[in-house]
Amino acid sequence: MLSLKSIDLKKVKTETLIIPVCEDRDIHDDKTVSSLITKAKKLKEFKGDKGEEIVFYTPPEIKAGRVIFMGLGKLEKLNAESLRAFAGKAVKKCINMKLTEVLIGCPSAKKIKMEMPLPLEAIIEGAYLGNHLFDKYKEEKKHSSLKNISFLVKPDVAKSSGKILKSITTICEGTIFARDLINTPSNDKKPEQFTKIITDTAKKENLRVKIFDEKELKRKKFGAMLAVAAGSESKPRMIVLEYNPKGAKKTVALVGKGVTFDSGGINLKPTGSLEEMKSDMSGAAAVAATLIALAKLKPKTKVIGIIPVVENMPSGNASRPGDIVKSYSGKTVEILNTDAEGRLILIDAISYVIKQYKPQILIDIATLTGACVIALGEKIAGVFSSDDELAQSIISSGEKTHERCWHMPLPDDYKEDLKSDFADFKNIAGSRWGGAITAALFLSEFVGDTRWAHIDIAGPSYMKKGNAYCGVGGTGFGVRLFCDLLEKL
Ligand code: BES
Ligand code: MG
Ligand code: ZN
Protein backbone atom coordinates (compact mmCIF):
# COMPACT_ATOMS: atom_id res chain seq x y z
CA MET A 1 0.00 0.00 0.00
CA LEU A 2 1.29 3.42 -0.95
CA SER A 3 -0.02 6.61 0.59
CA LEU A 4 0.68 10.31 0.93
CA LYS A 5 0.85 11.57 4.48
CA SER A 6 1.10 14.95 6.01
CA ILE A 7 1.58 14.45 9.72
CA ASP A 8 3.26 16.11 12.65
CA LEU A 9 6.27 13.89 13.33
CA LYS A 10 6.29 15.04 16.93
CA LYS A 11 2.82 13.67 17.53
CA VAL A 12 2.22 10.76 15.20
CA LYS A 13 3.99 7.45 15.69
CA THR A 14 6.04 5.99 12.85
CA GLU A 15 8.10 2.83 12.69
CA THR A 16 10.78 4.15 10.38
CA LEU A 17 11.41 7.55 8.86
CA ILE A 18 13.81 7.94 5.96
CA ILE A 19 15.26 11.33 5.18
CA PRO A 20 17.18 12.08 1.98
CA VAL A 21 19.87 14.67 2.65
CA CYS A 22 21.73 16.95 0.28
CA GLU A 23 25.31 17.72 1.11
CA ASP A 24 25.13 21.45 0.43
CA ARG A 25 21.51 22.51 0.79
CA ASP A 26 18.36 21.88 2.83
CA ILE A 27 15.79 20.46 0.41
CA HIS A 28 12.96 19.91 2.89
CA ASP A 29 9.87 21.92 3.85
CA ASP A 30 9.17 20.10 7.09
CA LYS A 31 10.84 22.00 9.97
CA THR A 32 11.18 18.92 12.15
CA VAL A 33 12.93 17.09 9.33
CA SER A 34 15.29 20.03 8.80
CA SER A 35 16.24 20.19 12.45
CA LEU A 36 16.91 16.43 12.51
CA ILE A 37 19.21 16.89 9.52
CA THR A 38 21.11 19.68 11.28
CA LYS A 39 21.65 17.33 14.20
CA ALA A 40 22.82 14.48 11.94
CA LYS A 41 25.25 16.74 10.11
CA LYS A 42 26.92 17.68 13.41
CA LEU A 43 28.35 14.17 13.43
CA LYS A 44 31.73 13.58 11.81
CA GLU A 45 30.53 10.52 9.93
CA PHE A 46 27.61 12.10 8.09
CA LYS A 47 27.70 15.05 5.75
CA GLY A 48 25.09 14.04 3.17
CA ASP A 49 27.64 12.82 0.65
CA LYS A 50 26.24 10.50 -1.98
CA GLY A 51 25.88 7.00 -0.55
CA GLU A 52 26.43 7.97 3.11
CA GLU A 53 23.94 6.58 5.59
CA ILE A 54 23.35 6.94 9.30
CA VAL A 55 20.62 5.67 11.62
CA PHE A 56 19.25 7.39 14.77
CA TYR A 57 17.27 5.10 17.03
CA THR A 58 14.32 6.53 19.00
CA PRO A 59 15.33 10.19 18.64
CA PRO A 60 13.78 12.22 21.49
CA GLU A 61 12.31 14.92 19.23
CA ILE A 62 9.89 12.71 17.35
CA LYS A 63 7.83 9.58 17.75
CA ALA A 64 9.78 7.32 15.42
CA GLY A 65 11.43 3.97 16.09
CA ARG A 66 14.33 5.00 13.88
CA VAL A 67 15.37 7.67 11.43
CA ILE A 68 17.59 6.71 8.53
CA PHE A 69 19.45 9.58 6.84
CA MET A 70 20.62 8.90 3.33
CA GLY A 71 23.09 11.14 1.53
CA LEU A 72 22.29 12.40 -1.98
CA GLY A 73 25.39 14.48 -2.63
CA LYS A 74 25.34 17.96 -4.11
CA LEU A 75 22.06 19.60 -5.12
CA GLU A 76 23.23 20.51 -8.63
CA LYS A 77 23.91 16.83 -9.37
CA LEU A 78 20.45 15.75 -8.22
CA ASN A 79 17.91 14.64 -10.82
CA ALA A 80 14.83 12.45 -11.17
CA GLU A 81 16.90 9.33 -11.73
CA SER A 82 18.99 9.83 -8.60
CA LEU A 83 15.76 10.27 -6.63
CA ARG A 84 14.34 7.02 -8.07
CA ALA A 85 17.57 5.30 -7.10
CA PHE A 86 17.47 6.83 -3.61
CA ALA A 87 13.90 5.63 -3.03
CA GLY A 88 14.61 2.15 -4.39
CA LYS A 89 17.67 1.89 -2.17
CA ALA A 90 15.74 3.16 0.84
CA VAL A 91 13.05 0.52 0.42
CA LYS A 92 15.64 -2.24 -0.10
CA LYS A 93 17.43 -1.15 3.06
CA CYS A 94 14.21 -1.43 5.07
CA ILE A 95 13.52 -4.86 3.61
CA ASN A 96 17.01 -6.00 4.58
CA MET A 97 16.41 -4.65 8.08
CA LYS A 98 13.28 -6.86 8.20
CA LEU A 99 10.98 -3.86 8.61
CA THR A 100 7.42 -3.84 7.32
CA GLU A 101 6.70 -0.19 6.71
CA VAL A 102 8.41 3.10 6.05
CA LEU A 103 7.71 6.81 5.84
CA ILE A 104 9.85 8.68 3.32
CA GLY A 105 10.38 12.39 3.95
CA CYS A 106 9.90 13.91 0.50
CA PRO A 107 11.89 16.94 -0.56
CA SER A 108 10.24 20.09 -1.83
CA ALA A 109 9.87 20.49 -5.60
CA LYS A 110 10.60 24.21 -5.28
CA LYS A 111 13.83 23.74 -3.39
CA ILE A 112 15.08 21.12 -5.85
CA LYS A 113 13.75 23.06 -8.86
CA MET A 114 12.48 19.96 -10.62
CA GLU A 115 9.36 19.89 -12.69
CA MET A 116 9.14 16.94 -15.07
CA PRO A 117 8.79 14.59 -13.35
CA LEU A 118 8.32 16.10 -9.89
CA PRO A 119 10.66 14.83 -7.20
CA LEU A 120 7.66 13.22 -5.51
CA GLU A 121 6.79 11.28 -8.69
CA ALA A 122 10.34 9.98 -9.06
CA ILE A 123 10.44 8.93 -5.41
CA ILE A 124 7.11 7.09 -5.62
CA GLU A 125 8.31 5.28 -8.74
CA GLY A 126 11.64 4.22 -7.25
CA ALA A 127 9.99 3.06 -4.03
CA TYR A 128 7.26 1.07 -5.76
CA LEU A 129 9.58 -0.62 -8.24
CA GLY A 130 12.29 -1.23 -5.63
CA ASN A 131 9.80 -3.01 -3.37
CA HIS A 132 9.29 -5.86 -5.80
CA LEU A 133 11.38 -8.98 -6.33
CA PHE A 134 10.75 -11.89 -8.68
CA ASP A 135 11.03 -14.87 -6.33
CA LYS A 136 8.13 -17.00 -7.53
CA TYR A 137 10.48 -19.89 -8.24
CA LYS A 138 12.29 -19.81 -4.89
CA GLU A 139 10.94 -22.23 -2.32
CA GLU A 140 13.01 -20.47 0.31
CA LYS A 141 11.87 -16.85 0.20
CA LYS A 142 14.29 -14.32 1.64
CA HIS A 143 12.56 -11.20 0.44
CA SER A 144 9.50 -9.78 2.06
CA SER A 145 8.16 -6.64 0.42
CA LEU A 146 7.22 -3.71 2.66
CA LYS A 147 3.50 -3.67 3.41
CA ASN A 148 3.19 0.07 3.68
CA ILE A 149 5.19 2.83 2.07
CA SER A 150 4.13 6.38 2.88
CA PHE A 151 5.41 9.66 1.58
CA LEU A 152 5.65 12.61 3.95
CA VAL A 153 4.52 15.74 2.13
CA LYS A 154 2.96 19.14 2.87
CA PRO A 155 -0.83 19.14 3.43
CA ASP A 156 -1.57 20.86 0.09
CA VAL A 157 0.58 18.33 -1.78
CA ALA A 158 -1.13 15.45 0.01
CA LYS A 159 -4.45 16.85 -1.15
CA SER A 160 -3.51 17.61 -4.73
CA SER A 161 -1.29 14.63 -5.53
CA GLY A 162 -3.68 11.74 -4.94
CA LYS A 163 -4.24 11.38 -8.66
CA ILE A 164 -0.52 11.35 -9.39
CA LEU A 165 0.01 8.65 -6.78
CA LYS A 166 -2.70 6.55 -8.37
CA SER A 167 -1.43 6.91 -11.93
CA ILE A 168 2.18 6.19 -10.97
CA THR A 169 1.05 3.13 -9.05
CA THR A 170 -0.85 1.91 -12.10
CA ILE A 171 2.11 2.45 -14.43
CA CYS A 172 4.53 0.77 -12.02
CA GLU A 173 2.16 -2.15 -11.61
CA GLY A 174 2.33 -2.50 -15.41
CA THR A 175 6.12 -2.36 -15.31
CA ILE A 176 6.17 -5.14 -12.70
CA PHE A 177 3.72 -7.18 -14.79
CA ALA A 178 6.11 -6.90 -17.74
CA ARG A 179 9.17 -7.71 -15.60
CA ASP A 180 7.52 -10.83 -14.19
CA LEU A 181 6.55 -12.03 -17.66
CA ILE A 182 10.12 -11.55 -18.90
CA ASN A 183 11.59 -13.36 -15.89
CA THR A 184 9.20 -16.28 -16.23
CA PRO A 185 11.16 -19.19 -17.74
CA SER A 186 10.22 -20.21 -21.27
CA ASN A 187 8.93 -23.62 -20.12
CA ASP A 188 6.17 -21.75 -18.32
CA LYS A 189 5.34 -19.23 -21.01
CA LYS A 190 4.90 -21.21 -24.19
CA PRO A 191 2.81 -19.22 -26.67
CA GLU A 192 -0.50 -20.62 -25.45
CA GLN A 193 0.32 -20.01 -21.77
CA PHE A 194 1.83 -16.61 -22.48
CA THR A 195 -1.31 -15.63 -24.36
CA LYS A 196 -3.50 -16.79 -21.51
CA ILE A 197 -1.59 -14.81 -18.87
CA ILE A 198 -1.89 -11.64 -20.94
CA THR A 199 -5.47 -12.00 -22.10
CA ASP A 200 -6.81 -13.07 -18.67
CA THR A 201 -5.38 -9.89 -17.17
CA ALA A 202 -6.53 -7.74 -20.11
CA LYS A 203 -10.08 -9.06 -19.85
CA LYS A 204 -10.18 -8.20 -16.15
CA GLU A 205 -9.49 -4.60 -17.14
CA ASN A 206 -12.27 -4.68 -19.71
CA LEU A 207 -10.02 -4.40 -22.75
CA ARG A 208 -11.41 -5.93 -25.89
CA VAL A 209 -9.41 -9.07 -26.59
CA LYS A 210 -9.00 -11.16 -29.73
CA ILE A 211 -6.83 -14.24 -30.05
CA PHE A 212 -5.97 -15.90 -33.36
CA ASP A 213 -4.91 -19.52 -32.98
CA GLU A 214 -2.85 -21.45 -35.53
CA LYS A 215 -5.87 -22.38 -37.61
CA GLU A 216 -6.95 -18.78 -37.85
CA LEU A 217 -3.41 -17.61 -38.62
CA LYS A 218 -3.26 -20.10 -41.48
CA ARG A 219 -6.67 -19.05 -42.75
CA LYS A 220 -5.65 -15.39 -42.66
CA LYS A 221 -2.29 -16.22 -44.32
CA PHE A 222 0.17 -14.94 -41.74
CA GLY A 223 2.86 -16.76 -43.70
CA ALA A 224 5.99 -15.09 -42.28
CA MET A 225 4.91 -15.58 -38.70
CA LEU A 226 3.89 -19.21 -39.30
CA ALA A 227 7.31 -19.92 -40.80
CA VAL A 228 8.96 -18.86 -37.54
CA ALA A 229 6.57 -20.92 -35.46
CA ALA A 230 6.95 -24.04 -37.60
CA GLY A 231 9.80 -25.59 -35.63
CA SER A 232 8.12 -25.52 -32.25
CA GLU A 233 5.75 -28.03 -30.67
CA SER A 234 3.93 -25.03 -29.22
CA LYS A 235 1.52 -23.41 -31.61
CA PRO A 236 1.64 -19.66 -32.33
CA ARG A 237 -0.92 -17.04 -31.36
CA MET A 238 -1.70 -13.48 -32.34
CA ILE A 239 -3.13 -11.29 -29.58
CA VAL A 240 -5.09 -8.14 -30.31
CA LEU A 241 -5.88 -5.83 -27.40
CA GLU A 242 -8.14 -2.86 -27.98
CA TYR A 243 -8.45 0.18 -25.76
CA ASN A 244 -11.23 2.18 -27.30
CA PRO A 245 -12.37 5.25 -25.32
CA LYS A 246 -15.46 7.18 -26.38
CA GLY A 247 -14.82 10.12 -28.66
CA ALA A 248 -11.27 9.16 -29.57
CA LYS A 249 -9.96 11.07 -32.56
CA LYS A 250 -6.73 9.19 -33.12
CA THR A 251 -5.69 5.56 -33.26
CA VAL A 252 -2.23 4.49 -32.20
CA ALA A 253 -1.07 0.92 -32.79
CA LEU A 254 1.61 -0.71 -30.65
CA VAL A 255 3.23 -3.88 -31.94
CA GLY A 256 5.37 -6.00 -29.60
CA LYS A 257 7.71 -8.83 -30.52
CA GLY A 258 6.61 -11.93 -28.62
CA VAL A 259 9.18 -14.67 -29.11
CA THR A 260 8.78 -16.72 -25.92
CA PHE A 261 12.15 -18.34 -26.57
CA ASP A 262 14.62 -17.61 -29.34
CA SER A 263 16.92 -20.57 -29.87
CA GLY A 264 17.81 -19.16 -33.29
CA GLY A 265 16.06 -22.09 -35.01
CA ILE A 266 18.13 -24.06 -37.55
CA ASN A 267 20.68 -21.22 -37.32
CA LEU A 268 20.99 -22.28 -33.71
CA LYS A 269 22.54 -19.78 -31.34
CA PRO A 270 25.74 -20.84 -29.57
CA THR A 271 25.94 -21.56 -25.85
CA GLY A 272 26.74 -18.43 -23.89
CA SER A 273 23.69 -16.46 -23.08
CA LEU A 274 21.06 -18.60 -24.74
CA GLU A 275 19.13 -18.63 -21.47
CA GLU A 276 18.63 -14.89 -21.78
CA MET A 277 16.58 -15.52 -24.91
CA LYS A 278 13.62 -16.16 -22.62
CA SER A 279 13.46 -12.36 -22.67
CA ASP A 280 12.80 -12.19 -26.42
CA MET A 281 9.18 -11.37 -25.65
CA SER A 282 10.04 -8.12 -23.85
CA GLY A 283 8.41 -6.02 -26.56
CA ALA A 284 5.23 -8.06 -26.22
CA ALA A 285 5.33 -7.64 -22.44
CA ALA A 286 5.73 -3.87 -22.81
CA VAL A 287 2.77 -3.60 -25.18
CA ALA A 288 0.50 -5.84 -23.07
CA ALA A 289 1.39 -4.06 -19.83
CA THR A 290 0.88 -0.67 -21.45
CA LEU A 291 -2.61 -1.53 -22.66
CA ILE A 292 -3.54 -2.96 -19.28
CA ALA A 293 -2.31 0.25 -17.64
CA LEU A 294 -4.14 2.43 -20.19
CA ALA A 295 -7.41 0.72 -19.34
CA LYS A 296 -7.02 2.26 -15.87
CA LEU A 297 -5.38 5.56 -16.85
CA LYS A 298 -8.03 6.24 -19.47
CA PRO A 299 -6.32 8.59 -21.92
CA LYS A 300 -8.36 9.89 -24.85
CA THR A 301 -6.51 8.09 -27.66
CA LYS A 302 -7.61 4.77 -29.08
CA VAL A 303 -4.79 2.28 -28.73
CA ILE A 304 -4.48 -1.12 -30.38
CA GLY A 305 -1.91 -3.59 -29.08
CA ILE A 306 -0.84 -6.32 -31.48
CA ILE A 307 1.30 -9.14 -30.19
CA PRO A 308 2.54 -11.98 -32.39
CA VAL A 309 3.54 -14.86 -30.12
CA VAL A 310 5.81 -17.69 -31.26
CA GLU A 311 8.60 -19.92 -30.06
CA ASN A 312 11.66 -20.11 -32.36
CA MET A 313 12.94 -23.70 -32.25
CA PRO A 314 14.85 -26.08 -34.50
CA SER A 315 13.16 -29.36 -35.48
CA GLY A 316 12.23 -31.51 -38.45
CA ASN A 317 9.41 -29.09 -39.18
CA ALA A 318 11.43 -25.92 -38.75
CA SER A 319 11.99 -23.43 -41.54
CA ARG A 320 15.31 -23.81 -43.31
CA PRO A 321 17.73 -21.16 -44.56
CA GLY A 322 16.75 -20.57 -48.16
CA ASP A 323 13.04 -21.14 -47.59
CA ILE A 324 10.75 -18.61 -49.23
CA VAL A 325 7.52 -17.58 -47.55
CA LYS A 326 4.65 -15.30 -48.42
CA SER A 327 3.98 -12.71 -45.74
CA TYR A 328 0.51 -11.39 -44.79
CA SER A 329 1.17 -8.37 -47.03
CA GLY A 330 1.58 -10.64 -50.07
CA LYS A 331 5.26 -9.83 -50.43
CA THR A 332 7.62 -12.79 -50.35
CA VAL A 333 10.64 -13.19 -48.12
CA GLU A 334 13.62 -15.47 -48.48
CA ILE A 335 14.65 -16.63 -45.01
CA LEU A 336 18.42 -16.57 -45.13
CA ASN A 337 18.85 -16.77 -41.39
CA THR A 338 16.25 -18.37 -39.11
CA ASP A 339 17.65 -16.35 -36.20
CA ALA A 340 16.40 -13.13 -37.80
CA GLU A 341 12.90 -14.24 -36.80
CA GLY A 342 11.68 -11.12 -35.01
CA ARG A 343 11.32 -9.08 -38.18
CA LEU A 344 9.32 -11.93 -39.76
CA ILE A 345 6.67 -12.00 -37.09
CA LEU A 346 6.63 -8.19 -36.88
CA ILE A 347 5.92 -7.59 -40.59
CA ASP A 348 2.83 -9.79 -40.44
CA ALA A 349 1.56 -8.03 -37.33
CA ILE A 350 2.35 -4.61 -38.84
CA SER A 351 0.63 -5.35 -42.16
CA TYR A 352 -2.40 -6.72 -40.36
CA VAL A 353 -2.86 -3.80 -37.98
CA ILE A 354 -2.46 -1.23 -40.77
CA LYS A 355 -5.01 -3.00 -42.95
CA GLN A 356 -7.50 -3.63 -40.16
CA TYR A 357 -7.27 -0.48 -38.03
CA LYS A 358 -5.64 2.18 -40.21
CA PRO A 359 -3.78 3.74 -37.26
CA GLN A 360 -2.46 7.30 -37.53
CA ILE A 361 0.65 6.23 -35.66
CA LEU A 362 2.33 2.83 -35.46
CA ILE A 363 5.12 2.01 -33.04
CA ASP A 364 6.75 -1.38 -32.75
CA ILE A 365 8.97 -2.42 -29.90
CA ALA A 366 11.25 -5.42 -30.10
CA THR A 367 14.37 -7.13 -28.83
CA LEU A 368 15.38 -7.19 -32.45
CA THR A 369 19.14 -7.16 -32.89
CA GLY A 370 22.36 -7.80 -31.04
CA ALA A 371 23.77 -5.13 -33.35
CA CYS A 372 21.73 -2.48 -31.55
CA VAL A 373 23.38 -3.50 -28.27
CA ILE A 374 26.79 -3.18 -29.96
CA ALA A 375 25.83 0.30 -31.16
CA LEU A 376 24.25 1.75 -28.01
CA GLY A 377 25.18 -0.56 -25.15
CA GLU A 378 22.86 -2.25 -22.70
CA LYS A 379 21.04 0.76 -21.34
CA ILE A 380 19.88 2.71 -24.37
CA ALA A 381 17.30 1.72 -26.97
CA GLY A 382 17.50 2.59 -30.65
CA VAL A 383 14.63 4.56 -32.19
CA PHE A 384 14.26 4.29 -35.94
CA SER A 385 11.87 6.63 -37.69
CA SER A 386 11.87 8.94 -40.66
CA ASP A 387 9.27 10.99 -38.77
CA ASP A 388 11.44 13.32 -36.70
CA GLU A 389 8.54 14.64 -34.67
CA LEU A 390 7.44 11.16 -33.62
CA ALA A 391 11.01 10.12 -32.84
CA GLN A 392 11.47 13.26 -30.74
CA SER A 393 8.29 12.58 -28.76
CA ILE A 394 9.52 9.09 -28.00
CA ILE A 395 12.96 10.35 -27.02
CA SER A 396 11.57 13.02 -24.69
CA SER A 397 9.24 10.52 -22.98
CA GLY A 398 12.33 8.36 -22.61
CA GLU A 399 14.21 11.21 -20.98
CA LYS A 400 11.42 11.84 -18.53
CA THR A 401 11.11 8.19 -17.52
CA HIS A 402 14.82 7.41 -17.86
CA GLU A 403 14.01 4.78 -20.48
CA ARG A 404 16.60 6.30 -22.74
CA CYS A 405 16.36 6.21 -26.53
CA TRP A 406 18.67 7.36 -29.29
CA HIS A 407 17.54 8.36 -32.79
CA MET A 408 19.20 6.07 -35.36
CA PRO A 409 19.40 6.59 -39.12
CA LEU A 410 17.35 4.88 -41.84
CA PRO A 411 19.51 5.45 -44.92
CA ASP A 412 17.66 4.62 -48.13
CA ASP A 413 20.66 3.24 -49.95
CA TYR A 414 21.16 0.49 -47.34
CA LYS A 415 17.90 -1.02 -48.59
CA GLU A 416 19.76 -2.45 -51.58
CA ASP A 417 21.20 -4.99 -49.20
CA LEU A 418 17.78 -6.52 -48.53
CA LYS A 419 16.97 -7.44 -52.11
CA SER A 420 16.80 -11.16 -52.72
CA ASP A 421 17.77 -13.03 -55.86
CA PHE A 422 14.71 -15.26 -55.56
CA ALA A 423 12.05 -13.37 -53.57
CA ASP A 424 10.94 -9.78 -52.94
CA PHE A 425 13.19 -9.49 -49.89
CA LYS A 426 15.63 -11.49 -47.85
CA ASN A 427 15.42 -11.37 -44.07
CA ILE A 428 19.08 -10.45 -43.50
CA ALA A 429 21.40 -8.06 -45.28
CA GLY A 430 24.53 -9.18 -47.06
CA SER A 431 26.88 -7.76 -44.45
CA ARG A 432 26.64 -7.91 -40.69
CA TRP A 433 27.62 -4.27 -40.23
CA GLY A 434 24.78 -1.93 -39.34
CA GLY A 435 22.55 -4.88 -38.45
CA ALA A 436 20.16 -2.82 -36.33
CA ILE A 437 19.66 -0.44 -39.24
CA THR A 438 19.06 -3.09 -41.88
CA ALA A 439 16.58 -4.83 -39.55
CA ALA A 440 14.68 -1.55 -39.17
CA LEU A 441 14.81 -0.95 -42.94
CA PHE A 442 13.36 -4.41 -43.49
CA LEU A 443 10.38 -3.45 -41.29
CA SER A 444 10.05 -0.11 -43.07
CA GLU A 445 9.22 -1.97 -46.30
CA PHE A 446 5.92 -3.02 -44.73
CA VAL A 447 4.63 0.19 -43.12
CA GLY A 448 3.59 2.08 -46.26
CA ASP A 449 2.94 5.74 -45.46
CA THR A 450 1.75 5.22 -41.90
CA ARG A 451 3.64 7.38 -39.37
CA TRP A 452 5.91 4.76 -37.87
CA ALA A 453 8.69 4.30 -35.36
CA HIS A 454 10.59 1.18 -34.37
CA ILE A 455 12.22 0.81 -30.96
CA ASP A 456 14.97 -1.81 -30.63
CA ILE A 457 15.21 -2.77 -26.96
CA ALA A 458 17.60 -5.72 -27.25
CA GLY A 459 19.92 -3.90 -24.82
CA PRO A 460 17.80 -2.29 -22.11
CA SER A 461 15.08 -4.97 -21.86
CA TYR A 462 17.20 -7.16 -19.62
CA MET A 463 19.79 -6.58 -16.92
CA LYS A 464 22.42 -9.08 -15.88
CA LYS A 465 23.00 -7.03 -12.75
CA GLY A 466 20.15 -5.34 -10.95
CA ASN A 467 20.12 -1.70 -9.88
CA ALA A 468 18.48 0.28 -7.11
CA TYR A 469 14.95 -0.15 -8.42
CA CYS A 470 15.16 -3.15 -10.73
CA GLY A 471 16.25 -6.67 -9.90
CA VAL A 472 18.31 -8.94 -12.15
CA GLY A 473 16.42 -9.80 -15.34
CA GLY A 474 13.57 -8.08 -17.15
CA THR A 475 13.37 -4.31 -16.77
CA GLY A 476 9.91 -3.68 -18.21
CA PHE A 477 11.49 -1.07 -20.50
CA GLY A 478 8.86 0.66 -22.59
CA VAL A 479 5.89 0.58 -20.24
CA ARG A 480 6.65 3.85 -18.48
CA LEU A 481 7.78 5.42 -21.74
CA PHE A 482 4.62 4.41 -23.62
CA CYS A 483 2.28 5.51 -20.82
CA ASP A 484 3.91 8.93 -20.84
CA LEU A 485 3.88 9.13 -24.63
CA LEU A 486 0.24 8.14 -25.04
CA GLU A 487 -0.81 10.71 -22.50
CA LYS A 488 0.94 13.27 -24.74
CA LEU A 489 -0.11 12.15 -28.21
N1 BES B 1 16.44 -11.94 -30.28
C1 BES B 1 17.59 -11.69 -31.07
C2 BES B 1 18.24 -10.34 -30.77
C3 BES B 1 18.83 -10.15 -29.41
C4 BES B 1 20.19 -10.30 -29.20
C5 BES B 1 18.06 -9.76 -28.34
C6 BES B 1 20.74 -10.10 -27.98
C7 BES B 1 18.61 -9.57 -27.09
C8 BES B 1 19.96 -9.72 -26.91
C9 BES B 1 17.22 -11.71 -32.56
O1 BES B 1 16.18 -12.55 -32.90
C10 BES B 1 18.41 -12.20 -33.29
O2 BES B 1 18.76 -13.33 -33.10
N2 BES B 1 18.99 -11.34 -34.13
C11 BES B 1 20.14 -11.69 -34.86
C12 BES B 1 19.97 -11.12 -36.25
C13 BES B 1 20.99 -11.63 -37.22
C14 BES B 1 20.79 -13.10 -37.50
C15 BES B 1 20.88 -10.84 -38.50
C16 BES B 1 21.35 -11.05 -34.17
O3 BES B 1 21.23 -9.97 -33.61
O4 BES B 1 22.38 -11.71 -34.14
MG1 MG C 1 16.82 -14.51 -33.33
ZN1 ZN D 1 14.80 -12.90 -31.45
Side-chain angles (χ1 to χ4, degrees), residues 257 262 264 269 280 312 338-341:
K257 172 178 173 182
D262 181 12
K269 286 181 185 291
D280 211 18
N312 187 21
T338 61
D339 199 9
E341 83 298 338

Side-chain angles (χ1 to χ4, degrees), residues 318-337:
S319 293
R320 296 146 284 256
D323 282 4
I324 296 178
V325 296
K326 192 176 210 146
S327 68
Y328 181 85
S329 71
K331 292 175 191 165
T332 56
V333 182
E334 184 184 15
I335 302 175
L336 284 184
N337 191 317

